[in-house]
Amino acid sequence: MPDLGWLSDPTVFAVNRLDAHSDHVCYRTAAEAAAGRTSLRQSLDGPWQFAWSPNPAARPADFWREDAALTGFGTIRVPGHIETQGYGQLQYTNTLYPWDGRAELRPPRVDLDHDPVGSYVTFFDLDEGLRGQRVCVSFQGVEQAMYLWCNGHFVGYAEDSFTPSDFDLTPYVRERGNRLCVEVYKRSSAAWIEDQDFFRFSGIFRPVYLYAKPAVHLEDLWLRAGLAEDNATGTLAPRIRLSGRTAGAAVRCRVEDPEGFALFDAPVEEGDVIELAGVQPWSHETPVLYHVTLTLTDASGAVQEVVPYDVGFRRFEMKNGVMCLNGRRVVFHGVNRHEWNPETGRAIDAGDMRAAMAVLRKNNINAVRTCHYPDQSLWYDLCDRNGIYMIDETNLESHGSWQKLGAVEPSWNVPGSLPEWKDCVVDRARSMFERDKNHTAILIWSCGNESYAGEDILAMSRFFHEQDPGRLVHYEGVFHNRAFDEISDMESRMYAKPWEIRGYLESHPQKPFILCEYLHDMGNSLGGMESYVRLEEEFDQYQGGFLWDYMDQALWHTDALGRRVLGYGGDFGDRNTDYNFSGNGIVYADGAEKPALQEVRYWYSDPAARAAQDRENARRAAAEDARLAAAWQARRPGLLAVTRGDGNLGVRGDGFEILFSVSEGGPSSLQIDGIEWLWRAPRPAFWRASTDNDRGCGFPVRSAAWMGADAFPRYLGMEVLQKDADGVTVRYRFGVDAVPGAAAELTYTVEPRGALRVEARYHGTAGAPELPAFGVRFQTFAPVAETLWTGLSGETYPDRYRGGVFGCHSETPHVEPALVPQDCGMHLQTRQVTLKQRAVCGRTAAALTLVQTDSPFAFSALPNTAQEIEAAAHISELPVTGRTSVTVLGAVRGVGGIDSWGTDVEDAYHLSGETDHRVSFRILLR
């Protein structure tokens, strides 16, 4: 009988659960297989009756009985999380366990006073194709522990949220009127080893289906495909396990090439090795798959099942300390990927997976790590077809049991070397291996993530090595416990600095090096990617890495003001929480690409493609410089009229007028063809809004004086330097009270050729804190509808600009939708930018053009000031002012990306407050 004691017993993780098996689909006939629709499966997805309880004592304990009334039950969608459908508490936390500070627990204990329970009930009749046969049920993913009943009979129990749990219903199922009941517990001993950095959900979140086993059934298959040293001869060694009336049963194997030509078609038995000449090797560049069809017949020769599967022929091995695919060194240009959808959390569908694959292909990503659990099977199919190399990772993370607030303290680490946890974690490895072993894309098995190291994880590694010598084994955690270095075939680290990696590679190591996680893409990030890619060009044993990570984890919800917004940790009343630390994707939670992806696309392309882009950028930039110089020389001088007032110096020319204000500390008016462009006088720009990486390394604290200086510079006076037919020059001086000794000046020159030349100079001082930026900032009187610039495409920063394509580009001024607003929208190496205002009909009503003088500049045009962005916790909190904040910079700090919790930007991308800086540009007045 079921026992609640199982929840806190790590030795009980499966009761009556069927053995794990491959993810093949059985069809009744060849026609079904060709159509991709099997009569041997019946989906149970859809609405189920449901009751939520805060703890086991409050649950409807007898709901599983056939005659139990379902009073008080509502409905819930399966697959789906309980918490995303209005029940229980949404919570995001990284390493601390969700109950930290609320329950004093140590593994494997569970707080049964706070262990929510979901009671699920569904009713079904068997489809015609399942009747009269053995019937099983498959739960593809249930978080976190489940008890199962069918028609009033207890069937089984299972843990492991991310691999299938199958049960035999044959003794209990009827053709009609079946009642299936599932009790799902949010917490069990499994919670101690499912401490991944993600939202903590529960429920039946992956598909559920029934499947029939005919009189003889293909339970499991392993199509062990290999490639000989000649890279042209493929081998196929099928390993097949049958059940039922196996006497006299036979399996026929047909192998077809991509054009449908049969390379082999004959019966096969255990131990057979099929040799195929002239195959095309599988790789990222050529993901060629061959179609295998297994036809199972009974003793009379009648077809019982048809099983199709696509395989690729490849050879993955370690050669002289270097990982090689088909004899050639492989470099992983990878990304980590959590399953995510902003509406449904980890309950994703085929559309989500196909959209993710499109992003990978577009941006030259050739590898993925299934962080930190096995994904849905369709994702592996997509990786097979698209040539995406995979690290397939076991559902194991116990981060909070050995690392507390950043300090390594493994005194009560699990699983460690504790014998009571060993079978549990090895079972997780086995479940993943058995399901996924046929997928060509998987090159490496991973023992899990951030769980320290010990005998139990070593047993997992040995399991993988014993079962599958054709793949390697990965585990990063040995970095923290070198006594178990045997676990991992490669040196794997997270967020190692480029210079640390160099130190390892120069030591002539035995193992190759990969970064299982690198370049933490939190908010505006991914600066410094070049330093990592250069390592792969210098060291054969540096074999790439996996960006962290694919998609921001955030959920659509309605905030306190009734707005539909993306929420992160803390927005749901969840405590403890790690707030927006889940926003690390190269795409936003809604799937939109982040600006930094163009840098990924560049550095993940091959060196020849990068060199070609660099040459073309240089050619276009030189041509634009020449064009602008010629255009300036071709401008005809005009007459200037100067009017001296008591508080203003007015300058008029052909179609323009400028008022240089004494009291305002700059030009208070700039009108072109009667259109006013300035809200207030420009000011020196000392600050850009801090990024997640800035905050993580303490930069805003160290340099906070510049935020005050940016908002409140001390105006020291105005002087007229020139006032004649050759032009009018006015200089405004500013002091920085928060940084004694520092100063700035803005100089404006009205030139007869119809331009206002603006020059900003910063005078550094010893001991001044590091600057975020320096230049000029002004706000437009009316909003800018479009910016059109000539320079590098997209958003670029000093440590993230190589992916930009030189040309003419446009955008609508906007703040990038990072989970927490931060600096964005910078454009380096700009030669010219035009700010356009639109009339009601959509036509351009006015335009203001800024051009380079002696060198390119950086600019941003945002609907909010740096201070407004700094003050907002969500993009929905940014005010609508009807103005655009335009910043023109001569220097700006990089964004960094090595990590988001302590490491600063690389040395070359700091901006000293002790040295001088300047920027100069022209505003065309006609």
Side-chain angles (χ1 to χ4, degrees):
M1 292 296 294
D3 185 346
L4 285 184
W6 297 344
L7 293 171
S8 55
D9 186 347
T11 67
V12 181
F13 47 85
V15 177
N16 297 335
R17 192 196 69 196
L18 297 177
D19 290 342
H21 56 82
S22 52
D23 61 355
H24 63 283
V25 179
C26 296
Y27 298 85
R28 201 68 177 86
T29 66
E32 283 189 2
R37 297 174 63 88
T38 177
S39 62
L40 295 175
R41 279 193 184 182
Q42 178 179 342
S43 174
L44 295 183
D45 294 349
W48 288 43
Q49 297 193 50
F50 179 78
W52 182 85
S53 307
N55 54 51
R59 80 195 193 282
D62 294 332
F63 84 111
W64 52 269
R65 297 183 183 278
E66 283 203 274
D67 58 354
L70 300 180
T71 305
F73 276 60
T75 59
I76 197 168
R77 182 184 64 253
V78 171
H81 300 297
I82 291 173
E83 294 79 5
T84 58
Q85 299 186 69
Y87 302 95
Q89 174 66 59
L90 287 162
Q91 184 181 15
Y92 163 68
T93 179
N94 178 10
T95 61
L96 289 176
Y97 285 102
W99 52 83
D100 188 76
R102 288 200 162 94
E104 292 191 29
L105 302 175
R106 286 293 182 264
R109 288 181 54 207
V110 177
D111 180 7
L112 291 180
D113 291 332
H114 301 91
D115 189 0
V117 185
S119 301
Y120 291 78
V121 180
T122 191
F123 300 89
F124 65 89
D125 299 332
L126 286 180
D127 286 351
E128 187 66 36
L130 280 69
R131 296 178 182 178
Q133 301 172 93
R134 293 171 292 167
V135 175
C136 300
V137 64
S138 180
F139 292 86
Q140 291 290 293
V142 179
E143 192 170 10
Q144 181 175 73
M146 62 169 285
Y147 296 80
L148 176 66
W149 294 264
C150 181
N151 295 329
H153 298 275
F154 176 67
V155 178
Y157 171 84
E159 297 172 8
D160 188 354
S161 301
F162 296 96
T163 54
S165 295
D166 289 14
F167 300 91
D168 189 358
L169 300 183
T170 306
Y172 320 114
V173 76
R174 312 185 272 257
E175 287 194 0
R176 299 184 183 278
N178 293 285
R179 176 177 176 143
L180 196 69
C181 301
V182 186
E183 202 169 63
V184 177
Y185 288 77
K186 187 166 186 172
R187 304 279 182 248
S188 69
S189 60
W192 294 100
I193 56 173
E194 293 188 10
D195 188 36
Q196 288 94 332
D197 175 11
F198 58 16
F199 275 83
R200 307 308 172 98
F201 296 130
S202 62
I204 305 172
F205 72 99
R206 285 182 179 171
V208 183
Y209 58 84
L210 305 170
Y211 62 96
K213 297 180 178 181
V216 59
H217 169 64
L218 200 158
E219 289 279 356
D220 182 69
L221 71 114
W222 188 4
L223 297 169
R224 292 170 292 179
L227 184 69
E229 291 286 340
D230 64 2
N231 282 353
T233 304
T235 59
L236 191 68
R239 189 190 75 181
I240 297 168
R241 177 163 57 88
L242 304 180
S243 70
R245 301 171 189 166
T246 59
V251 176
R252 188 176 188 88
C253 177
R254 179 181 174 90
V255 183
E256 297 175 349
D257 68 13
E259 286 73 42
F261 180 78
L263 305 180
F264 180 85
D265 191 354
V268 291
E269 296 180 352
E270 186 70 24
D272 287 354
V273 177
I274 304 166
E275 192 170 288
L276 305 167
V279 301
Q280 300 179 65
W282 182 94
S283 68
H284 174 68
E285 295 76 17
T286 58
V288 179
L289 295 176
Y290 289 74
H291 190 65
V292 177
T293 304
L294 300 177
T295 302
L296 172 63
T297 55
D298 62 16
S300 69
V303 173
Q304 295 295 301
E305 290 178 332
V306 177
V307 177
Y309 216 104
D310 290 339
V311 300
F313 295 97
R314 54 130 181 94
R315 185 177 69 260
F316 187 61
E317 59 195 329
M318 191 81 77
K319 298 179 70 173
N320 301 317
V322 175
M323 291 179 283
C324 295
L325 180 66
N326 306 332
R328 297 175 57 190
R329 169 182 175 244
V330 65
V331 177
F332 298 114
H333 290 162
V335 68
N336 285 272
R337 176 182 167 272
H338 273 289
E339 296 183 314
W340 193 255
N341 178 291
E343 296 278 5
T344 59
R346 289 188 291 277
I348 66 171
D349 62 20
D352 296 314
M353 289 180 260
R354 292 193 173 97
M357 183 56 66
V359 171
L360 268 58
R361 295 294 297 180
K362 175 183 175 183
N363 292 286
N364 300 318
I365 295 169
N366 72 0
V368 69
R369 175 177 175 231
T370 69
C371 61
H372 302 291
Y373 45 81
D375 292 340
Q376 292 191 43
S377 284
L378 175 59
W379 181 246
Y380 298 78
D381 293 338
L382 293 173
C383 290
D384 290 343
R385 288 181 230 154
N386 289 277
I388 301 298
Y389 307 135
M390 300 187 78
I391 295 182
D392 198 12
E393 189 147 273
T394 311
N395 176 26
L396 172 62
E397 179 167 343
S398 62
H399 202 159
S401 77
W402 64 273
Q403 191 170 43
K404 289 88 172 179
L405 302 178
V408 175
E409 197 288 287
S411 61
W412 51 272
N413 168 239
V414 289
S417 297
L418 300 171
E420 65 268 27
W421 289 87
K422 180 178 176 181
D423 288 348
C424 169
V425 296
V426 172
D427 179 76
R428 288 170 178 241
R430 180 182 292 107
S431 293
M432 178 181 74
F433 165 77
E434 295 293 0
R435 189 196 69 167
D436 298 339
K437 56 186 176 286
N438 288 294
H439 288 283
T440 307
I442 298 171
L443 302 185
I444 298 171
W445 300 113
S446 176
C447 295
N449 185 64
E450 294 180 315
S451 299
Y452 201 58
E455 293 291 343
D456 295 356
I457 295 177
L458 178 59
M460 297 170 69
S461 175
R462 287 173 174 169
F463 167 82
F464 286 129
H465 281 112
E466 291 164 4
Q467 294 294 316
D468 191 2
R471 292 181 172 107
L472 298 178
V473 177
H474 163 271
Y475 183 63
E476 177 269 344
V478 299
F479 175 73
H480 300 283
N481 189 350
R482 290 298 188 184
F484 292 92
D485 212 50
E486 174 194 337
I487 292 173
S488 186
D489 292 324
M490 66 283 300
E491 176 76 3
S492 174
R493 299 187 194 174
M494 296 179 177
Y495 309 107
K497 285 77 168 172
W499 52 93
E500 295 172 343
I501 301 169
R502 177 177 294 277
Y504 173 84
L505 295 168
E506 288 178 343
S507 70
H508 307 291
Q510 291 185 336
K511 295 181 180 181
F513 187 103
I514 66 167
L515 286 159
C516 63
E517 296 176 18
Y518 82 116
L519 287 176
H520 197 256
D521 194 21
M522 187 174 181
N524 188 355
S525 186
L526 285 193
M529 191 171 183
E530 176 175 4
S531 297
Y532 291 98
V533 175
R534 294 304 185 198
L535 290 170
E536 76 185 43
E537 298 171 353
E538 186 175 351
F539 298 96
D540 285 348
Q541 284 190 294
Y542 180 77
Q543 299 200 249
F546 297 78
L547 300 168
W548 187 264
D549 58 352
Y550 174 66
M551 178 176 278
D552 284 358
Q553 295 179 60
L555 290 166
W556 287 113
H557 76 123
T558 302
D559 70 8
L561 299 179
R563 300 169 298 192
R564 180 172 161 80
V565 297
L566 281 168
Y568 51 80
D571 285 344
F572 309 99
D574 47 323
R575 304 292 189 275
N576 61 70
T577 187
D578 284 280
Y579 300 96
N580 67 314
F581 200 73
S582 61
N584 324 126
I586 57 175
V587 302
Y588 295 113
D590 63 1
E593 294 188 6
K594 288 186 180 178
L597 253 180
Q598 75 170 3
E599 195 78 355
V600 175
R601 186 163 56 249
Y602 174 84
W603 287 113
Y604 274 1
S605 63
D606 62 74
R610 296 200 302 267
Q613 179 172 323
D614 293 346
R615 287 193 300 271
E616 182 61 15
N617 277 358
R619 185 193 67 78
R620 292 181 180 182
E624 180 63 12
D625 290 341
R627 187 192 71 79
L628 289 174
W632 176 248
Q633 293 300 321
R635 292 175 71 91
R636 296 190 304 274
L639 299 176
L640 301 179
V642 180
T643 303
R644 184 80 191 211
D646 293 332
N648 294 281
L649 179 68
V651 182
R652 292 189 304 277
D654 183 12
F656 68 87
E657 180 184 66
I658 304 172
L659 288 180
F660 293 102
S661 171
V662 176
S663 60
E664 278 291 300
S668 62
S669 175
L670 171 59
Q671 292 191 10
I672 300 175
D673 295 330
I675 303 296
E676 179 61 65
W677 280 96
L678 294 179
W679 170 247
R680 298 289 292 270
R683 284 291 184 266
F686 297 113
W687 187 257
R688 62 156 177 76
S690 58
T691 66
D692 286 316
N693 291 342
D694 290 335
R695 293 187 282 267
C697 73
F699 174 78
V701 176
R702 299 193 304 272
S703 295
W706 292 118
M707 184 176 176
D710 188 88
F712 303 109
R714 179 176 291 278
Y715 171 45
L716 299 177
M718 163 187 167
E719 55 183 320
V720 179
L721 303 180
Q722 178 185 10
K723 187 178 65 173
D724 53 34
D726 292 329
V728 176
T729 300
V730 181
R731 176 174 296 159
Y732 296 89
R733 294 180 298 109
F734 298 89
V736 184
D737 287 10
V739 186
E745 56 194 37
L746 300 183
T747 303
Y748 302 89
T749 300
V750 183
E751 300 175 304
R753 289 181 179 178
L756 175 65
R757 179 173 178 142
V758 183
E759 182 180 52
R761 286 186 178 272
Y762 166 78
H763 302 288
T765 186
E770 182 184 341
L771 277 161
F774 178 71
V776 183
R777 180 176 293 119
F778 63 90
Q779 287 186 275
T780 60
F781 184 80
V784 172
E786 182 185 23
T787 58
L788 183 71
W789 77 95
T790 304
L792 296 176
S793 63
E795 182 186 86
T796 48
Y797 285 83
D799 53 355
R800 202 191 73 209
Y801 72 92
R802 296 292 296 275
V805 175
F806 195 94
C808 188
H809 313 284
S810 66
E811 70 181 13
T812 300
H814 66 284
V815 174
E816 283 291 319
L819 294 186
V820 173
Q822 53 202 274
D823 187 66
C824 59
M826 194 62 61
H827 305 289
L828 299 189
Q829 299 186 15
T830 303
R831 269 61 175 184
Q832 175 175 297
V833 58
T834 298
L835 312 174
K836 292 186 176 182
Q837 296 178 357
R838 300 287 190 199
V840 175
C841 63
R843 295 179 180 176
T844 300
L848 185 72
T849 298
L850 287 61
V851 298
Q852 68 177 17
T853 53
D854 48 4
S855 61
F857 55 84
F859 88 94
S860 67
L862 304 175
N864 296 97
T865 66
Q867 287 75 21
E868 289 167 345
I869 294 171
E870 197 77 64
H874 300 82
I875 194 168
S876 57
E877 298 170 18
L878 292 170
V880 178
T881 65
R883 299 184 289 275
T884 300
S885 181
V886 180
T887 306
V888 181
L889 300 176
V892 62
R893 165 183 166 88
V895 293
I898 291 175
D899 62 50
S900 302
W901 50 87
T903 304
D904 208 337
V905 300
E906 293 176 283
D907 290 346
Y909 308 116
H910 291 259
L911 197 61
S912 173
E914 298 184 328
T915 58
D916 294 351
H917 303 283
R918 70 176 290 273
V919 66
S920 176
F921 60 95
R922 286 188 175 96
I923 299 175
L924 300 184
L925 302 173
R926 56 176 170 85

